[in-house]
Amino acid sequence: MRKKARDFIDKITQLLQKKSLQFTISITFTAVSVVGMLIVGGSLSMRFISSSEEMVSDDSTRMVDQVNLNLDNYLRNMMRISDSMYYRVIKNADLATDNISNDMSLLYETNRDLLISIGVFSNSGEVIAAEPLTQLKPSANVSGENWFKNAARKIENCHFSTPHVQNLFVDPDNKYRWVVSLSRSVELTSAGSITHGVLLVDMNFSGIEQICKNVDLGESGYIYLIDGNGEIIYHPRQQLIYSNLIHENNYAAARYDDGNHNETFEGQQRLVTVKTAGYTGWKIIAVTPTQDITSDYQQFRLFTLFFIFFAIFLMIFVNMFLSSRIANPLKELELSVKELDRGNLSGVDISVSGSYEVQHLGKTIRSMVDQMRRLMDDIVAEQESKRRSELDALQSQINPHFLYNTLDSIIWMIENERYDGAVTMVTALARLFRISLSKGKNIITVSDELEHVRNYLTIQKMRYKNKFSYEISAEPETLKCATIKLIVQPLVENAIYHGMEFMSGDGEIRIKAYREGNDLYIDIIDNGLGMPQEQADALLTQETTKVRGKGSGIGLKNVKERIQLYFGSEYGLAIYSEPDEGTTARIHLPLKTMEEAEENEGGGSK
């Protein structure tokens, strides 16, 4: 696929190269304009669709919230009726002497538009009082009804049932009324003794039906109501669902969280908005088919296409005019630039004509030619100066503190007539300086580098009064290999200051030079305190790792960067450490002879 795309781009490029500059600018600007118009049109279309969907989602949410508010008010009224019956009538009556039927009848008449019946039952299911229906059906089993069991089991709550036909009392009008039962446990007082009973309020289901029915959700949207288990409480097509002529995704909707959801049901894309009603745990479900949302998209797409084609047509003429203004001055400027391309920096006449921008470009190129000549000279001088500065910095490795401390140690030995130690220290210091200078060379042999470290360790061991021992070993074939000078000493210095200084004795530093294939490795190993590996890795990212006032001042990161500067990014420095297990610093270099390394240094770093 990439090859085909590349071939197509190459063909277009070759075709444009054979055309005039004016044609190329015109066709390119037109193509860019077309793509831009398509992107803008597509963005507007997508934004319109997104806004429409968000608007429908917001409308559905508002509708569901309104239904929830109305349903909440309706249920609150039922609970208020139940509370009035319980706390104002039943609680204040002694059933042995008082008749609560009159108060119950008054309460029913006050709220008869909302109620079907009110009843109070004993703990065994016997009718104590009821309005307006009082006679139980012979087949009625009050204590076996779910509303009765729920009230008796959870006496502190009000319980709402799912819609059902009122089948408890004998209806003289022989009507089958759909009700939702609100039941609760109540305390009945009779002759001073308290027993438990159940208060039943059958509310008219038509009230709930009207709340859900009078909702406008577009052409084919609707709202239905389910309980927490997914059983349908209200649905505008409830009879068709019960007849199994249509289906609803109510059981899946029962698992939805409150909010908007996109679902596919029976091959139809739908936006479903869910809201859980208080008190009952019922869910209000608003369904809006996606086709209702997208019905107005076609007209907007036609308008968008018309706008895009008109804009493209206008841009073609604008591009042709602009290309003619730009092309000729650019052709003249291009001829001047060709002279620069041939390397002719002197005597070239840069064309300055055309529009202000092209004139400015010509003047800029003319100024650039003058600056290029000066910059070329400056760059050569700057690189030479930078290289000299780098070499000077790398050769200035001896920290004054180390030198002062060493000289103090020598003076102390002489004053205490320890002449052998003083001679050893002076000799080691002299050799240390000799290798540090290395006649201005930055590349030395591994043998010289190890000798430099040996002299450094000789001095430090005497200064630290033999708190540590050291061992230097190297495979014979590595001694004549090339390395950058003074890259081992900073690592040994780091091992002493951070590993040996805090040990009471038995410190050990081992230095090994060995080869593996075409690679040269130098390991600096100490048995010091060590550190977590994360801390060891961080050493190579810090500017310096020396103790304040001690050491050469060369950070481990600097050592790594020097190696990579000369030999490439695949080489460098790694630190391995564990707490209480010591630390290993591993230098990784290419296996090169001195001649090869000096040749590379003369030709520039890799």
Side-chain angles (χ1 to χ4, degrees), residues 264 399 443 521:
T264 302
N399 185 281
I443 301 294
Y521 293 91

Side-chain angles (χ1 to χ4, degrees), residues 390-436:
E390 180 185 35
L391 291 175
D392 291 341
L394 295 177
Q395 290 170 359
S396 301
Q397 302 295 324
I398 301 302
N399 185 281
H401 291 280
F402 170 75
L403 181 59
Y404 298 155
N405 293 335
T406 302
L407 292 176
D408 284 343
S409 298
I410 293 172
I411 293 171
W412 178 83
M413 288 181 179
I414 293 173
E415 290 176 348
N416 289 274
E417 299 181 354
R418 296 178 58 181
Y419 300 114
D420 292 340
V423 170
T424 301
M425 238 179 167
V426 170
T427 303
L429 184 62
R431 291 175 179 174
L432 192 74
F433 273 102
R434 180 182 61 81
I435 297 175
S436 296

Side-chain angles (χ1 to χ4, degrees), residues 34 37 307-319:
V34 170
M37 290 301 104
F307 170 78
I308 290 173
F309 283 123
F310 176 78
I312 291 172
F313 181 79
L314 182 62
M315 290 301 298
I316 290 174
F317 284 94
V318 173
N319 290 338

